[in-house]
Short mmCIF file of all heavy atoms in Angstrom, two decimals:
data_model
loop_
_atom_site.label_atom_id
_atom_site.label_comp_id
_atom_site.label_asym_id
_atom_site.label_seq_id
_atom_site.Cartn_x
_atom_site.Cartn_y
_atom_site.Cartn_z
N ARG A 4 140.21 108.33 112.49
CA ARG A 4 138.97 107.72 113.00
C ARG A 4 138.31 108.64 114.02
O ARG A 4 138.96 109.49 114.65
CB ARG A 4 139.24 106.34 113.59
CG ARG A 4 139.84 106.21 115.01
CD ARG A 4 140.84 107.21 115.44
NE ARG A 4 141.48 106.90 116.68
CZ ARG A 4 141.20 107.50 117.86
NH1 ARG A 4 140.30 108.43 117.95
NH2 ARG A 4 141.89 107.17 118.93
N ALA A 6 136.10 108.07 117.46
CA ALA A 6 135.95 106.92 118.36
C ALA A 6 135.11 107.28 119.59
O ALA A 6 135.60 107.28 120.70
CB ALA A 6 137.33 106.43 118.78
N PRO A 7 133.86 107.58 119.39
CA PRO A 7 133.03 108.02 120.53
C PRO A 7 132.67 106.87 121.47
O PRO A 7 132.57 105.73 121.04
CB PRO A 7 131.77 108.54 119.84
CG PRO A 7 131.65 107.73 118.60
CD PRO A 7 133.08 107.52 118.14
N SER A 8 132.49 107.24 122.74
CA SER A 8 131.95 106.29 123.72
C SER A 8 130.46 106.53 123.76
O SER A 8 130.02 107.65 124.02
CB SER A 8 132.56 106.54 125.09
OG SER A 8 133.97 106.46 125.00
N ARG A 38 134.49 104.20 114.97
CA ARG A 38 134.66 103.12 115.94
C ARG A 38 133.89 103.46 117.22
O ARG A 38 134.11 104.51 117.81
CB ARG A 38 136.13 102.93 116.27
CG ARG A 38 136.39 101.81 117.24
CD ARG A 38 137.87 101.52 117.39
NE ARG A 38 138.54 102.47 118.24
CZ ARG A 38 139.71 103.04 117.93
NH1 ARG A 38 140.32 102.79 116.78
NH2 ARG A 38 140.27 103.90 118.78
N GLU A 40 133.27 103.00 120.95
CA GLU A 40 134.01 102.49 122.09
C GLU A 40 133.06 102.15 123.23
O GLU A 40 132.87 102.93 124.16
CB GLU A 40 135.09 103.50 122.49
CG GLU A 40 136.00 103.79 121.29
CD GLU A 40 137.41 104.24 121.65
OE1 GLU A 40 137.55 105.09 122.54
OE2 GLU A 40 138.36 103.72 121.02
N TYR A 178 140.32 101.15 128.84
CA TYR A 178 140.26 102.12 127.74
C TYR A 178 141.60 102.36 127.02
O TYR A 178 141.70 102.23 125.80
CB TYR A 178 139.67 103.44 128.27
CG TYR A 178 139.98 104.58 127.35
CD1 TYR A 178 139.36 104.69 126.12
CD2 TYR A 178 140.95 105.53 127.69
CE1 TYR A 178 139.68 105.69 125.24
CE2 TYR A 178 141.27 106.53 126.81
CZ TYR A 178 140.64 106.62 125.60
OH TYR A 178 140.97 107.60 124.72
N VAL A 182 142.12 101.25 122.95
CA VAL A 182 142.35 102.30 121.95
C VAL A 182 143.60 102.01 121.12
O VAL A 182 143.59 102.11 119.89
CB VAL A 182 142.49 103.68 122.63
CG1 VAL A 182 143.00 104.72 121.65
CG2 VAL A 182 141.17 104.14 123.21
N ASP A 186 143.71 101.16 117.25
CA ASP A 186 144.38 102.09 116.33
C ASP A 186 145.49 101.39 115.56
O ASP A 186 145.75 101.70 114.40
CB ASP A 186 144.89 103.33 117.09
CG ASP A 186 143.74 104.28 117.43
OD1 ASP A 186 142.67 104.19 116.79
OD2 ASP A 186 143.88 105.12 118.36
N VAL A 194 145.51 110.43 114.85
CA VAL A 194 144.49 110.39 115.90
C VAL A 194 144.08 111.81 116.22
O VAL A 194 144.91 112.62 116.64
CB VAL A 194 145.05 109.72 117.19
CG1 VAL A 194 144.08 109.90 118.36
CG2 VAL A 194 145.30 108.23 116.91
N ILE A 195 142.82 112.15 115.94
CA ILE A 195 142.29 113.47 116.28
C ILE A 195 141.28 113.24 117.39
O ILE A 195 140.36 112.41 117.24
CB ILE A 195 141.59 114.12 115.06
CG1 ILE A 195 142.57 114.32 113.91
CG2 ILE A 195 140.93 115.44 115.47
CD1 ILE A 195 141.92 114.84 112.62
N ARG A 196 141.44 113.91 118.50
CA ARG A 196 140.47 113.74 119.60
C ARG A 196 140.51 114.94 120.53
O ARG A 196 141.36 115.84 120.37
CB ARG A 196 140.75 112.45 120.35
CG ARG A 196 142.11 112.40 121.01
CD ARG A 196 142.35 111.03 121.63
NE ARG A 196 143.76 110.86 121.99
CZ ARG A 196 144.35 109.68 122.11
NH1 ARG A 196 143.68 108.56 121.92
NH2 ARG A 196 145.63 109.61 122.45
N ASP A 199 140.94 116.50 126.32
CA ASP A 199 140.78 115.84 127.63
C ASP A 199 141.52 114.50 127.62
O ASP A 199 141.69 113.89 128.65
CB ASP A 199 139.29 115.65 127.96
CG ASP A 199 138.47 115.08 126.81
OD1 ASP A 199 138.85 115.29 125.64
OD2 ASP A 199 137.46 114.42 127.07
N HIS A 200 141.97 114.07 126.45
CA HIS A 200 142.70 112.78 126.37
C HIS A 200 144.20 112.97 126.34
O HIS A 200 144.94 111.99 126.24
CB HIS A 200 142.26 112.02 125.11
CG HIS A 200 140.90 111.41 125.24
ND1 HIS A 200 140.66 110.34 126.08
CD2 HIS A 200 139.71 111.72 124.69
CE1 HIS A 200 139.39 110.02 126.02
NE2 HIS A 200 138.77 110.85 125.19
N1 LIG B 1 136.19 107.07 123.35
C1 LIG B 1 136.84 108.28 123.71
C2 LIG B 1 135.80 109.35 124.01
O1 LIG B 1 134.67 109.24 123.58
C3 LIG B 1 137.71 108.82 122.61
C4 LIG B 1 138.95 108.06 122.48
C5 LIG B 1 139.87 108.52 121.37
O2 LIG B 1 139.44 109.25 120.48
O3 LIG B 1 141.02 108.09 121.42
O4 LIG B 1 136.13 110.29 124.69
#
Side-chain angles (χ1 to χ4, degrees):
R4 80 324 189 256
S8 304
R38 181 172 78 226
E40 303 206 315
Y178 162 71
V182 168
D186 284 340
V194 169
I195 299 174
R196 61 185 167 204
D199 47 333
H200 285 291

